[in-house]
Amino acid sequence: EDYTKLHVWLTEAACGGSIDAMRELILGQDESLEQAWVWMYLSRLLGHDLGEDHFDLVHDNGDRYDDDIGGPGHVVGDDGIELEPLSVEADRDAIEEATRLFDLIVAKQQH
């Protein structure tokens, strides 16, 4: 229930590349619009654009749906996030920050 600690840990996870943490920060943690765009751009650099819908069909056990097996399927996933646009300067700053964070993530993975 300590929202300050939650925000700190979510931010740490997002800076490390957690798409789920980025989504939670944007939708549930009252991030500034500028910071929300940093997470949006970082998610794109990581190959999972939070601005796009991501849905899949799965079996009851959570495995990806295979029509050879048949049976009921369940749709799981998330709607894309829509944000208000930033000014040109703020947008450039958000892109630069997302790129900086992406470079840090890549550097950590290489070591």
Side-chain angles (χ1 to χ4, degrees), residues 26 35-44 49-51 81 83:
I26 294 170
Q35 187 60 48
W37 272 106
V38 170
W39 303 133
M40 290 289 279
Y41 286 129
L42 181 56
S43 76
R44 290 175 185 169
D49 187 348
L50 286 171
I81 299 171
L83 297 174

Side-chain angles (χ1 to χ4, degrees), residues 26-88:
I26 294 170
L27 296 177
Q29 295 295 310
D30 296 326
E31 288 284 66
S32 69
L33 183 60
E34 292 80 6
Q35 187 60 48
W37 272 106
V38 170
W39 303 133
M40 290 289 279
Y41 286 129
L42 181 56
S43 76
R44 290 175 185 169
L45 290 169
L46 293 169
H48 186 93
D49 187 348
L50 286 171
E52 294 189 10
D53 297 339
H54 295 276
F55 292 102
D56 204 359
L57 187 62
V58 297
H59 289 285
D60 287 335
N61 66 1
D63 289 344
R64 188 178 185 122
Y65 191 81
D66 182 348
D67 60 0
D68 288 341
I69 296 171
H74 307 280
V75 177
V76 296
D78 299 301
D79 290 324
I81 299 171
E82 292 185 29
L83 297 174
E84 296 177 26
L86 294 172
S87 68
V88 172

